[in-house]
Amino acid sequence: MELLPLLTWLLLAHAMAYLAWTAAARRRQSRCYLLDYVCHKPRDDRKLSTETAGDVIQRNARLGLTDYRFLLRVVVRSGIGEETYAPRSILEGREDTPTLKDSLEEMDAFLDEAVAELFARTGVSPGDVDVLVFNVSMLSPSPSLSSRVVRRYGLRDDVAAYNLAGMGCSAGLVALDLARNALRARPRRASLALVVSSESIAPNWYSGTDKSMMLANCLFRCGGAAALVTNDPARRGRAKMELRCLVRAHIGASDDAHACALQREDGEGRVGISLSKALPKAAVRAFAVNLRRLAPRVLPVAELARFTARHLARRLFFQFPHMLQGSGKQQQKGGGDAAAKINFKAGVEHFCLHPGGTAVIEAVKQSLGLEDEDVEPARMTLHRWGNTSASSLWYVLSYMEAKGRLKVGDRVLMVTFGSGFKCNSCVWEVTGDMADRGAWADCIDDYPPETLANPYMDKFGWINDVQGDTMML
């Protein structure tokens, strides 16, 4: 009879050990490590300088003087410099009649260089890739772009390939989230995922006169990035960063938010991307929703307690102002928005913000209470590369790395926005050496420049001296 309890105890101990081992294995498998990433640098003959941009605008016979003046103001304030890139169809004067071939050639130029370089740098064979996620918002050919990568690099016939479209600039982190979950779902084996992010500019140049749709031409430029991530703990020593958390927020149920970045037809039937004045407000609102979920996962308890105390004190002031001592001016200051802001610098050292435009960068800066140096990487990325949509965050990260700012143990907050309207964020922890200059190699020493002033006004300011608003250019 004494043997039965002993056997029962041994079975229970074995079961508990097995469950603990299984839980630990699942935790290990749920990890996500960034082995490396590559940002695409197009050929120099594809640069869209101020002068070339002016030529593109002037050859649009639909534009009048008021339209030209509007574009002048937008370009001057855009924060974009002289060395961004455009598709060959635009540089060759075919922006009104792009072909599918133009779009695919734009993608192939990126795939042939950036993805190939990524495999070469990591030593990973295309045959080792288990999961592929390709995201381009404005191009969805058949076969898909993910199939194009499978064919081009000879990926295995059992690769789990996904293709994302229509997700806007936020798709970079959507793709990362999908890749991470796909790695988790694989049966108890260490796996590799290739995440490819780009945008198709060639078929999406707007040639009409709707001002809200002209804005996209002044912001979006060619680019792309490819990254290799894994859940294999054996590769952690070779990884650059480990993904600590990823949070997604979607406020598309709001009509204003849903329509602030919208593909539509103008009054003459020309298709373009409409960016409304409500976009910065939608970004801030989506950002606030995202941060409410993100903060408890990345901030220390002391900072959360401090914020909670100040928030409660602020609410107490509005309910019982007579209970607080001090002048009216001090009370008003104590009840302001600044009194209830979270200090995210208590949880992260670096801010990798989507360079969607100067207004968006400034809105996020104000919301987080950041300094100019915190948003410098985003501003410099916008200046050098423009808004490359879903791949933009990787250029911002590459700027930080090229500047030598990312040290082991540092945490990096990535924040991106996209049509829908969405705000996605994630936090990385630096685990390995990050000293590669990447796509910034030939210019990083020139950044930040003394001024971000655009020379557009110097070259085309004469338009303000022309009388009449009916002149056709």
Side-chain angles (χ1 to χ4, degrees), residues 36-47:
D36 211 341
Y37 65 100
V38 171
C39 296
H40 177 49
K41 181 186 176 185
R43 304 294 176 89
D44 286 347
D45 60 358
R46 289 177 54 191
K47 286 185 178 179

Side-chain angles (χ1 to χ4, degrees), residues 249-260 282 285-286 418-423:
H250 199 310
I251 60 170
S254 164
D255 289 343
D256 289 342
H258 178 77
C260 69
R285 180 183 166 197
S419 58
F421 193 84
K422 300 180 287 293
C423 174

Side-chain angles (χ1 to χ4, degrees), residues 7-23:
L7 290 174
T8 302
W9 184 87
L10 289 174
L11 288 173
L12 287 174
H14 177 76
M16 292 176 65
Y18 175 78
L19 290 174
W21 178 85
T22 301

Side-chain angles (χ1 to χ4, degrees), residues 367-447:
S367 296
L368 286 179
L370 302 180
E371 305 296 332
D372 285 342
E373 55 265 29
D374 297 318
V375 298
E376 175 193 311
R379 283 177 173 163
M380 298 308 107
T381 299
L382 181 64
H383 182 268
R384 174 61 182 86
W385 306 95
N387 182 348
T388 61
S389 191
S391 66
S392 291
L393 281 180
W394 297 105
Y395 287 91
V396 180
L397 181 68
S398 183
Y399 180 89
M400 298 178 186
E401 182 174 5
K403 283 290 187 182
R405 298 178 181 177
L406 303 178
K407 310 300 181 183
V408 174
D410 284 358
R411 291 150 297 180
V412 182
L413 171 62
M414 280 186 168
V415 180
T416 186
F417 303 92
S419 58
F421 193 84
K422 300 180 287 293
C423 174
N424 302 322
S425 66
C426 72
V427 173
W428 295 94
E429 181 180 339
V430 179
T431 58
D433 179 52
M434 297 194 73
D436 179 34
R437 291 192 163 198
W440 291 89
D442 66 344
C443 64
I444 192 63
D445 293 334
D446 298 327
Y447 278 89

Side-chain angles (χ1 to χ4, degrees), residues 73-94:
R73 292 194 299 272
V74 171
V75 173
V76 167
R77 300 171 184 172
S78 69
I80 291 180
E82 287 286 273
E83 299 192 342
T84 60
Y85 301 91
R88 295 194 185 280
S89 57
I90 294 175
L91 297 173
E92 294 172 0
R94 296 184 289 105

